[in-house]
Amino acid sequence: MMLSSFFYLAKQGLGNLIKNRLMTFASIGVLTVCLIITGVAGLFTANVNSLMEYLRGQNELVLYPQEELDELGLAQLDAKLREISGIKEIEYISKEEAMERMKQSMGDKAYLLDVLEGDQNPLRVNYRIVLEDVGALSQIVPQLQAIEGVDNVLAPVELSDVFVNVHKAVVCISVGLVVVLGFVSVVVISNTIRLTVFARRKEINIMKYVGATNGFIRMPFFVEGIAVGLIAGVISAGIVLGGYQLLLMNTSVFPAFWSDMVTSILLPMDQIWWMVLCGFLLFGSLLGSVGTATSVRKHLKV
């Protein structure tokens, strides 16, 4: 196809958007809604993946020794802890340091704990233990609990299992949404273009009889479908990214500890905006082209 013919056919396809304004608006609206829901599901899945990576990075547990242990008993306990393979780091935390860390986690509300200083400090001596591999959590915890002098071991074993199951469910639901909404979008665009094709069926028949190729006839409709997908992609990307930016800006409403954790989990805007925009444009144009192909084929058979 010559370049001049290509531009002519592309112009005809873009002109069809204006001629069929009502159906074009309906197609863009429905496709935008589908892309927004798909995009939200995709971003949710991506952030759940980020959460899982964050949890894998929090491969630590807290061990509380028995309160009656003296310095010698704590030293012996420390030595036994370091004999266990799979432990990356062991940190002893005194009662005073535990209180200081709690104050830091409370941010500007830390003054509420001032009454618990000194002898009123209810916190206990503990060990912060970092594992080399969070997958070994369920094997190492029983070994720690079996050591003489250990009172309790706090480890998020069950919580990790819950998050893994939630992650699998979210991924399955997101994939299902993409498939269902993609099918709906193809049907809507296909019906829209089918109306345009039906209105021009006589013209298409005449073009076929005088020797026009299928590609020559398809091109304007193909451009129309692609244009609808790209417009919907830009609109939906703007809405989704705008909403996500508002979410990122409002993480400060959480307490200091939770705000820091949420900020570390949520994917930053500069990391995802181009992926979201490109994904919407590619997915929208793909749906538009597929909808075009399914609606034009029947009328080319004369």
Side-chain angles (χ1 to χ4, degrees):
M1 182 184 295
M2 295 179 61
L3 188 61
S4 58
S5 299
F6 173 80
F7 284 117
Y8 169 78
L9 296 175
K11 183 178 179 181
Q12 291 296 313
L14 295 176
N16 289 337
L17 294 175
I18 301 175
K19 293 178 182 177
N20 304 282
R21 289 184 293 272
L22 183 60
M23 295 305 301
T24 298
F25 180 78
S27 296
I28 292 175
V30 173
L31 184 54
T32 297
V33 172
C34 292
L35 287 176
I36 288 174
I37 298 175
T38 303
V40 170
L43 275 179
F44 184 68
T45 302
N47 281 286
V48 169
N49 290 333
S50 178
L51 172 62
M52 296 304 299
E53 291 299 323
Y54 175 83
L55 292 176
R56 292 189 182 100
Q58 304 302 306
N59 52 342
E60 57 185 62
L61 47 84
V62 179
L63 182 147
Y64 290 97
Q66 294 175 353
E67 296 190 46
E68 60 269 18
L69 288 182
D70 54 15
E71 292 186 3
L72 178 59
L74 290 174
Q76 293 174 344
L77 174 61
D78 187 276
K80 293 178 181 179
L81 292 177
R82 299 183 187 278
E83 294 176 358
I84 298 178
S85 61
I87 294 180
K88 180 180 180 181
E89 179 184 340
I90 299 176
E91 181 183 6
Y92 172 79
I93 300 177
S94 64
K95 295 176 61 175
E96 293 74 21
E97 187 175 354
M99 176 60 69
E100 186 62 28
R101 293 190 178 192
M102 179 171 287
K103 286 184 175 182
Q104 291 177 0
S105 69
M106 294 185 64
D108 57 359
K109 303 294 185 181
Y111 67 89
L112 297 174
L113 298 177
D114 290 344
V115 297
L116 300 178
E117 293 286 354
D119 295 337
Q120 302 299 320
N121 187 348
L123 301 181
R124 297 175 55 184
V125 169
N126 64 84
Y127 286 90
R128 173 181 168 272
I129 300 176
V130 180
L131 306 183
E132 294 179 353
D133 181 13
V134 70
L137 189 65
S138 58
Q139 289 79 35
I140 293 180
V141 168
Q143 299 180 50
L144 295 174
Q145 292 172 334
I147 297 177
E148 183 179 356
V150 172
D151 182 36
N152 190 22
V153 178
L154 298 182
V157 178
E158 296 181 358
L159 184 61
S160 297
D161 294 338
V162 170
F163 275 113
V164 169
N165 293 331
V166 170
H167 178 243
K168 293 179 180 178
V170 168
V171 171
C172 293
I173 293 173
S174 298
V175 172
L177 277 175
V178 171
V179 173
V180 172
L181 294 175
F183 176 77
V184 171
S185 301
V186 168
V187 171
V188 171
I189 294 177
S190 176
N191 289 336
T192 301
I193 297 179
R194 186 176 289 115
L195 292 175
T196 304
V197 173
F198 183 78
R200 298 177 58 188
R201 64 190 183 282
K202 293 183 179 179
E203 177 184 344
I204 293 175
N205 291 339
I206 293 174
M207 293 173 67
K208 285 289 294 183
Y209 286 133
V210 298
T213 63
N214 290 342
F216 188 89
I217 298 173
R218 278 197 182 104
M219 181 57 69
F221 301 104
F222 186 78
V223 170
E224 182 180 352
I226 294 292
V228 168
L230 292 177
I231 294 172
V234 171
I235 295 174
S236 55
I239 294 174
V240 170
L241 291 176
Y244 191 73
Q245 180 62 31
L246 287 176
L247 175 63
L248 293 176
M249 292 171 59
N250 288 307
T251 55
S252 60
V253 300
F254 296 100
F257 171 76
W258 292 105
S259 178
D260 293 340
M261 187 179 70
V262 171
T263 302
S264 63
I265 292 174
L266 292 179
L267 298 173
M269 179 63 74
D270 58 356
Q271 181 179 333
I272 66 167
W273 74 266
W274 62 272
M275 291 188 290
V276 173
L277 179 59
C278 292
F280 276 143
L281 293 178
L282 290 175
F283 193 48
S285 59
L286 174 64
L287 293 177
S289 61
V290 172
T292 300
T294 57
S295 59
V296 177
R297 185 185 304 112
K298 183 178 70 173
H299 295 277
L300 295 177
K301 299 177 182 179
V302 294

